[in-house]
Amino acid sequence: MRPDINHGKQHSPSETREPSVLALMALVWTLADDRRADRLLALTGLDADTLRAGVGDPAILGAVLAFLADHEPDLIACAESIDSTPTALIAAKEALTA
């Protein structure tokens, strides 16, 4: 019998993803819906050019996750869609904005 180094606990893929990867996945999910994308731009004050230029910027990625965190239905739907959890997305937001 081999030892189980995880003690039987299965880790979801989102627990091993970098915060920036989760944020980029969340951004793609957000932009896939025109109404949600428009709301993101309106509520964050970002414009399309700033968003494109800032995809590697932790502050921009954190703003995307903060946008989702402020609307729980979207946070939950996004997490399910990208095979993550709302908790992982919030943790990624905190890591990116720390």
Side-chain angles (χ1 to χ4, degrees), residues 3-5 9 21 31-32 34 54 62-63 73 86:
D4 184 357
I5 59 173
K9 181 179 178 185
V21 171
L31 296 178
D34 288 340

Side-chain angles (χ1 to χ4, degrees), residues 16-97:
T16 59
R17 291 184 189 137
E18 291 292 320
S20 59
V21 171
L22 278 176
L24 286 170
M25 293 173 72
L27 175 60
V28 169
W29 179 85
T30 301
L31 296 178
D33 179 86
D34 288 340
R35 290 177 57 196
R36 194 171 40 240
D38 289 344
R39 199 170 77 240
L40 169 71
L41 297 177
L43 293 177
T44 61
L46 298 170
D47 60 34
D49 290 334
T50 303
L51 195 55
R52 270 192 292 280
V55 294
D57 182 342
I60 299 291
L61 295 175
V64 170
L65 292 174
F67 163 78
L68 291 172
D70 287 342
H71 188 67
E72 188 175 5
D74 281 350
L75 178 68
I76 292 168
C78 177
E80 289 174 358
S81 178
I82 66 171
D83 191 28
S84 186
T85 64
T87 302
L89 292 176
I90 297 298
K93 174 188 76 78
E94 291 172 359
L96 290 166
T97 59

